[in-house]
Amino acid sequence: MNVFDIVYLFAYFIILYCSVLWFSVFLVHRNTIFNNPKAKIYPSLTVLVPAYNEAGRIGKCLDSLLSLDYPKLNIIAINDGSTDNTLEVLKKYEKKGVKIINKKNSGKADSLNHALKHVNTELFMCMDADSYPSPDSVKKMVGYMEGENVAGVSPALKIDEVNTFMQKIQWVEYIFSIFLRKVFSIFQCQYVLPGPGSIYRTKIIKDLGGFDKESITEDMEIAFRLQSKKYDIENSIDAYVYTEAPQSFRGLFKQRVRWYRGYLHNVRKYLHLIGNPEYGNLGVFLIPINFIWVFILFAFFFIPLYTVASNLMGFLNVFSLVGIPPINLFLGFDIMYVDFYSFFLAAFITLAVATIMVSLKSSNEKIEFKKRYLFYIGYMFIYPLLFSIFWISTVFYEIFGAEKKW
Amino acid sequence: MVNKKISWSFYAITLIITIIVFTSGIYFGVLLSKVKVGELQSSVSDMEKIRIEQELNLLLVNYLPNKTCDIISYEVEEMIPQINELARELTYYEETKKFEETHYIETKREYMINQIKYWLYLERLKSSCNLNITTLIYFYSNKDCDLCKDQGIVLDYMKNRHKNNLMIFAFDKDIELNSIKIIMKSYGVEELPSIIIDGKLYQGFIDKDSLENLINPSS
């Protein structure tokens, strides 16, 4: 065994450990994960919709919000200095009861803070203008807020329109996240309250000073801050919010580098959580294991790259010595070609299939293999590569200090 | 504020399950190594059986009144690809092995001994039957011989080119075997890689074209 074998085996151990952990949490709680607690009285709620140049999409969002099945609902839309006709679109909704705030452009977090001053309901919900909730989502989420220590609830995000290959891969990633977010909530270690559709307790967020204007991922920063104050964050696994996903590799790349850099910034900001048992599973397990995951992504990118390069060198060497050698194709099965990698390959293909099945079950989706086989193949074979590329770029940008921007 | 809970029992149970699955994988690998070496071992023994029979045939040919060399030369020509295949399998195993398997060293020693025996047999056969087979002996080391890799590539190529009338015997200097030391001393081998073609020593790396000339001076 050489050093690469040992790195691979270490990675396999970690992947296996995490998979077994999340599967067993899911299995133990399988009968209760869909049971959202019912609210005794529905608390009052305001929905905040910050919008910057969203004229084309905000209509659909506001229509959905207006048809939400919830008794005490206010809607505030914030025009964050749009240069298109967002404001005109918003004006049409003023008659229907949507409160409009018009201000100079100052970013999403600041827009939310600005609107928060006008919120006097017990709870508030953030909604991105490119997203929209399902009618029953709020009712499913508010019950969790009756928990004494609960500061926020995350919804279940699904991709609204799936057209491109990148969106197909993300479709599976999102339903996997629905599963993962629930499992994380059981472990009380959610570190994101997704921008579209999360519900917060107004008083707590106001006391904490609102959203962080400096953060490039304010929805992650607020979750980290709540965790650092030892508040609970819950999740409803079937409060669906539909959101827009980047269509192209470029768009996805930009989004992910921003997310992952945001993650690194937050970990640096809340460094004292790491290894500290007071903060539960997030501090002692999830953040440390995420570091190992990044290492694994590096290893899984660079070791194969090195192997390919050295094979190419080997071939060039052979070519320089004897020209193009006769190609011996060893087809068929030979015991000589089997080793422990074959075992782990089989184990991980099984795991990947099991992960997809559990994710489908978590998000109330059917396999529909004929329609979605590309989704699954893309997720199993292309997504890991993308994930590596995004993380390696993120670390690269962080080290070489590229300017942070949206 | 109340401190958060840590799910120790989940972590512990998961660790146990993971260790069980993980160790099964490793054990599967160890088991496979044993199976592979077992396969190699039995291939080496099979070759040895064939060699013994061929030697007997040579004795017969030399004893019996009418020299019937054609049967034996056919046997040898049939044998060369099989020996090459075994050599390939041994090399492949050695390059890709993940676990040290003690029986492998034994197997390799046995293989080297058989090669020496086969070489001696072939030399006798050549003189009694006028066989048109070139024997090439190659000394190498996997440890401190960079050029041995290149020489190996050239020899593999030669093997493919002269399928049935070039017999290469490769001897690993690092295998503790006095017979190899005797051969090396007798021919005066001082550096690696070294090649002996039909009794003549050539030290250092030899490229494809020079080797071709040495094997087949006419062409």
Side-chain angles (χ1 to χ4, degrees):
Chain A
M1 276 204 275
N2 59 29
V3 62
F4 291 159
D5 290 323
I6 291 165
V7 171
Y8 274 132
L9 283 177
F10 170 74
Y12 293 164
F13 190 89
I14 300 296
I15 297 171
L16 214 54
Y17 187 89
C18 291
S19 311
V20 173
L21 184 67
W22 303 137
F23 277 139
S24 50
V25 174
F26 184 84
L27 275 177
V28 168
H29 295 88
R30 68 186 178 284
N31 294 323
T32 52
I33 51 166
F34 283 102
N35 301 346
N36 298 309
K38 223 174 138 36
K40 287 187 203 91
I41 0 156
Y42 288 123
S44 55
L45 182 136
T46 307
V47 187
L48 306 181
V49 192
Y52 174 70
N53 291 349
E54 299 281 5
R57 292 180 289 198
I58 197 162
K60 192 175 182 183
C61 172
L62 290 175
D63 287 336
S64 304
L65 289 173
L66 286 167
S67 58
L68 269 174
D69 173 24
Y70 198 73
K72 304 164 195 167
L73 195 81
N74 306 314
I75 301 169
I76 301 179
I78 308 109
N79 178 34
D80 184 21
S82 300
T83 52
D84 66 354
N85 60 340
T86 302
L87 188 60
E88 286 151 47
V89 179
L90 289 180
K91 291 274 190 231
K92 285 184 211 153
Y93 284 89
E94 213 162 16
K95 288 176 239 113
K96 296 177 183 168
V98 176
K99 189 180 158 79
I100 312 287
I101 296 176
N102 192 25
K103 55 179 267 297
K104 276 189 198 154
N105 181 270
S106 61
K108 190 175 159 189
D110 193 56
S111 302
L112 289 171
N113 289 341
H114 198 84
L116 214 47
K117 290 179 200 151
H118 301 267
V119 174
N120 41 32
T121 51
E122 191 183 337
L123 308 177
F124 74 93
M125 180 190 210
C126 292
M127 182 58 63
D128 290 352
D130 61 358
S131 311
Y132 63 93
S134 62
D136 56 356
S137 55
V138 174
K139 271 192 176 171
K140 284 179 172 169
M141 290 163 77
V142 290
Y144 288 99
M145 296 302 290
E146 288 181 354
E148 206 178 313
N149 200 31
V150 179
V153 190
S154 59
L157 290 184
K158 283 189 182 180
I159 294 182
D160 183 22
E161 271 180 53
V162 179
N163 298 314
T164 69
F165 185 58
M166 284 296 143
Q167 289 173 324
K168 288 174 182 171
I169 295 176
Q170 290 177 82
W171 185 87
V172 185
E173 187 201 19
Y174 273 61
I175 64 159
F176 174 62
S177 298
I178 289 178
F179 156 74
L180 211 55
R181 214 175 280 125
K182 188 67 202 182
V183 174
F184 282 9
S185 79
I186 294 168
F187 259 44
Q188 275 308 334
C189 60
Q190 285 186 92
Y191 55 80
V192 189
L193 273 161
S198 291
I199 290 180
Y200 305 82
R201 196 182 300 284
T202 313
K203 187 178 181 313
I204 293 177
I205 302 299
K206 278 186 175 172
D207 287 349
L208 289 178
F211 293 91
D212 180 6
K213 283 184 283 185
E214 300 304 313
S215 177
I216 48 173
T217 49
E218 82 298 327
D219 53 350
M220 194 188 286
E221 198 280 335
I222 194 70
F224 263 98
R225 193 145 27 118
L226 291 172
Q227 290 284 5
S228 78
K229 303 288 177 195
K230 297 174 189 166
Y231 284 113
D232 288 346
I233 300 174
E234 295 292 347
N235 166 261
S236 168
I237 199 168
D238 56 355
Y240 299 121
V241 172
Y242 298 90
T243 190
E244 199 168 73
Q247 301 182 346
S248 64
F249 173 80
R250 235 177 103 83
L252 186 61
F253 180 88
K254 277 170 87 172
Q255 183 197 49
R256 292 314 159 101
V257 170
R258 178 170 69 81
W259 285 6
Y260 302 156
R261 288 186 77 180
Y263 173 77
L264 291 179
H265 295 171
N266 282 314
V267 169
R268 203 184 301 149
K269 190 169 171 186
Y270 296 99
L271 211 57
H272 61 285
L273 266 65
I274 298 179
N276 191 336
E278 284 181 23
Y279 300 101
N281 295 309
L282 183 64
V284 296
F285 181 73
L286 196 59
I287 300 176
I289 210 83
N290 279 350
F291 277 111
I292 299 178
W293 271 102
V294 174
F295 167 75
I296 291 174
L297 290 173
F298 268 74
F300 278 14
F301 185 80
F302 286 109
I303 295 179
L305 200 67
Y306 175 85
T307 312
V308 168
S310 66
N311 282 344
L312 188 67
M313 298 259 283
F315 177 78
L316 287 176
N317 189 39
V318 170
F319 183 76
S320 68
L321 290 168
V322 297
I324 294 172
I327 296 161
N328 291 320
L329 270 182
F330 308 119
L331 294 172
F333 175 81
D334 189 324
I335 192 87
M336 285 295 164
Y337 306 134
V338 187
D339 54 30
F340 62 73
Y341 283 118
S342 322
F343 176 92
F344 287 107
L345 182 69
F348 288 127
I349 288 179
T350 316
L351 266 181
V353 172
T355 305
I356 291 176
M357 299 311 277
V358 169
S359 303
L360 287 166
K361 193 172 158 27
S362 305
S363 49
N364 276 324
E365 293 281 352
K366 300 220 161 51
I367 302 178
E368 296 183 62
F369 192 76
K370 266 189 192 152
K371 188 177 127 195
R372 293 193 181 135
Y373 67 97
L374 265 181
F375 294 36
Y376 305 126
I377 291 170
Y379 184 72
M380 279 171 77
F381 299 105
I382 310 291
Y383 179 73
L385 180 67
L386 295 178
F387 201 40
S388 296
I389 292 172
F390 298 153
W391 261 108
I392 289 164
S393 311
T394 299
V395 173
F396 183 85
Y397 280 129
E398 276 302 299
I399 290 172
F400 293 99
E403 190 191 333
K404 59 181 180 184
K405 57 180 184 198
W406 276 65
Chain B
M1 274 290 142
V2 199
N3 286 346
K4 296 233 172 174
K5 274 187 243 138
I6 300 177
S7 320
W8 292 118
S9 53
F10 268 111
Y11 294 135
I13 293 165
T14 302
L15 187 65
I16 294 168
I17 299 173
T18 309
I19 287 174
I20 291 172
V21 178
F22 189 77
T23 342
S24 318
I26 300 291
Y27 184 68
F28 176 78
V30 174
L31 213 63
L32 272 174
S33 286
K34 286 197 201 305
V35 174
K36 286 180 195 173
V37 173
E39 291 255 308
L40 292 173
Q41 173 82 53
S42 73
S43 300
V44 170
S45 314
D46 288 349
M47 289 295 167
E48 176 63 1
K49 278 177 206 147
I50 298 173
R51 187 193 61 79
I52 291 170
E53 198 197 326
Q54 289 188 0
E55 267 203 276
L56 173 71
N57 292 346
L58 179 61
L59 286 176
L60 281 173
V61 165
N62 285 338
Y63 176 74
L64 293 174
N66 288 318
K67 274 216 168 195
T68 46
C69 276
D70 49 339
I71 294 179
I72 309 195
S73 36
Y74 179 71
E75 272 181 355
V76 171
E77 279 180 18
E78 287 282 280
M79 186 77 174
I80 293 176
Q82 284 188 50
I83 292 179
N84 286 344
E85 173 61 18
L86 178 59
R88 196 188 66 76
E89 281 191 357
L90 281 162
T91 320
Y92 184 81
Y93 174 80
E94 205 163 312
E95 279 170 1
T96 60
K97 69 172 193 282
K98 302 291 177 200
F99 302 99
E100 285 307 323
E101 176 65 43
T102 43
H103 292 296
Y104 178 69
I105 302 291
E106 271 169 51
T107 306
K108 194 170 172 184
R109 243 175 86 91
E110 204 180 317
Y111 169 74
M112 292 285 165
I113 292 172
N114 290 349
Q115 282 208 105
I116 296 171
K117 288 183 188 163
Y118 202 81
W119 169 54
L120 291 176
Y121 158 70
L122 215 55
E123 292 301 329
R124 268 180 289 148
L125 183 66
K126 272 163 78 177
S127 54
S128 28
C129 280
N130 252 334
L131 267 190
N132 182 26
I133 286 180
T134 310
T135 47
L136 187 155
I137 298 174
Y138 168 47
F139 297 99
Y140 70 98
S141 161
N142 285 335
K143 281 176 190 158
D144 36 39
C145 172
D146 271 348
L147 286 172
C148 289
K149 284 200 185 88
D150 291 348
Q151 192 67 74
I153 292 166
V154 173
L155 287 173
D156 272 342
Y157 169 82
M158 287 299 164
K159 233 189 247 177
N160 273 316
R161 221 179 120 78
H162 306 272
K163 276 199 169 62
N164 295 325
N165 44 19
L166 172 66
M167 185 68 216
I168 296 176
F169 299 101
F171 294 123
D172 186 345
K173 187 204 76 162
D174 304 318
I175 290 277
E176 279 300 312
L177 205 61
N178 280 336
S179 325
I180 293 179
K181 282 184 193 141
I182 291 170
I183 305 171
M184 284 175 80
K185 200 167 176 200
S186 147
Y187 281 99
V189 175
E190 275 160 1
E191 61 172 295
L192 294 180
S194 272
I195 287 173
I196 297 168
I197 300 171
D198 287 337
K200 248 188 107 181
L201 173 70
Y202 304 90
Q203 302 204 71
F205 174 80
I206 306 176
D207 66 39
K208 178 184 85 164
D209 294 334
S210 319
L211 198 61
E212 187 70 47
N213 280 331
L214 295 174
I215 293 170
N216 246 338
S218 52
S219 68

